[in-house]
Amino acid sequence: MLVYRLPGTFDTREAHLDLLWEAGATGLEERAGHIRAYFGARTALPPEIADGDWTEEAEQDWQAEFRRTLRPVRAGRLTIVAPWHAGEAEEGTRPLIIEPGMAFGTGHHATTRMATEALSELDLAGVRVLDVGTGSGVLAIAAALLGAGFALGVDIDPITIPIARENAEINGVAPAQARFEEGTLGLGDLPELEEAPFGVVVANLYAELHDLLAGEYAAHLVPGGPLVLTGILTGKLDLVRAALDREGFTGVTVREDGDWALVTARR
Ligand code: SAM
């Protein structure tokens, strides 16, 4: 990869950017006080931009770099791994394989990890679990791998549903153990949601939505069943606390990881 490094920034050399393009640059980038112009071959440059230097840099294999950096994530009794790391689950944990793609939920976000840890701490044997905002399906699949009797993942984004189903299949989780449907709470259009209340409700959304949905969480939970909420910025915890209080939830616990919080409660 041939790079022409020109001292300055896009701002200080604004007048010279066109000259780089005209000289045949295929791309421009600003990095640490230099403009990096990418060229296919060395070329003569006009005097205004002749104060740079040419360097030949090794090609980066971005795909390989991405695959290497996407390390397995330990989360309670599971290790969330990409398919190419399936053999690298931490000792004593089960691999939860997620194909990184278009849907949120590879385990690398603190909220997904905290929610998986919280599910790991529950006795899910035979329990029906509802995952609101399932994304990649990671939390519903986690519940199934942790022994849940049945997990239902719902998401308003239709793109997530086939992805979640495929991730379930990769993990050997059959449709009888985990189902994924487009939809959300409160619309009454998903028969699977209305069949019976759930033993656990987990939702990785955001504080304002938890505030709106808190009554629905209560309506879909068996009495005493745990509610696990994340996607909450720590600065918005009071909004979620107030919503849970309003809907009669008690025993609220909070854990934090950086800017993110996870809240559990029972009703
Ligand atoms: N559950 C995954 C996880 O923990 O990594 C994905 C969580 S991602 C932060 C939030 C997901 O919620 C997105 O896939 C989004 O499409 C979905 N979502 C947003 N609003 C929703 C709503 N009102 N009802 C259901 N799903 C919703």
Side-chain angles (χ1 to χ4, degrees), residues 104-105 112 131-136 138-139 154-157 160 183-184 204-206 209 213:
F104 188 103
T112 310
D131 170 19
V132 187
T134 197
S136 66
V138 56
L139 301 180
V154 297
D155 201 295
I156 49 162
D157 184 352
T160 63
T184 189
N204 182 358
L205 297 167
Y206 52 93
L209 201 45
L213 292 177

Side-chain angles (χ1 to χ4, degrees), residues 226-248:
L227 175 66
V228 177
L229 301 181
T230 188
I232 304 161
L233 286 165
T234 52
K236 300 207 167 151
L237 270 167
D238 284 349
L239 179 64
V240 177
R241 276 202 189 93
L244 294 177
D245 194 41
R246 182 186 74 224
E247 301 300 337

Side-chain angles (χ1 to χ4, degrees), residues 139-223:
L139 301 180
I141 297 167
L145 295 178
L146 292 166
F150 173 69
L152 174 64
V154 297
D155 201 295
I156 49 162
D157 184 352
I159 205 174
T160 63
I161 304 305
I163 294 171
R165 286 179 184 152
E166 199 174 318
N167 280 322
E169 199 180 327
I170 298 174
N171 284 280
V173 171
Q177 294 170 277
R179 269 220 309 277
F180 299 93
E181 301 294 342
E182 181 185 345
T184 189
L185 303 180
L187 302 181
D189 58 349
L190 263 185
E192 292 87 348
L193 265 178
E194 313 307 331
E195 269 163 23
F198 291 82
V200 174
V201 172
V202 60
N204 182 358
L205 297 167
Y206 52 93
E208 290 80 357
L209 201 45
H210 292 318
D211 178 30
L212 283 173
L213 292 177
E216 293 294 333
Y217 297 150
H220 286 87
L221 259 177
V222 296

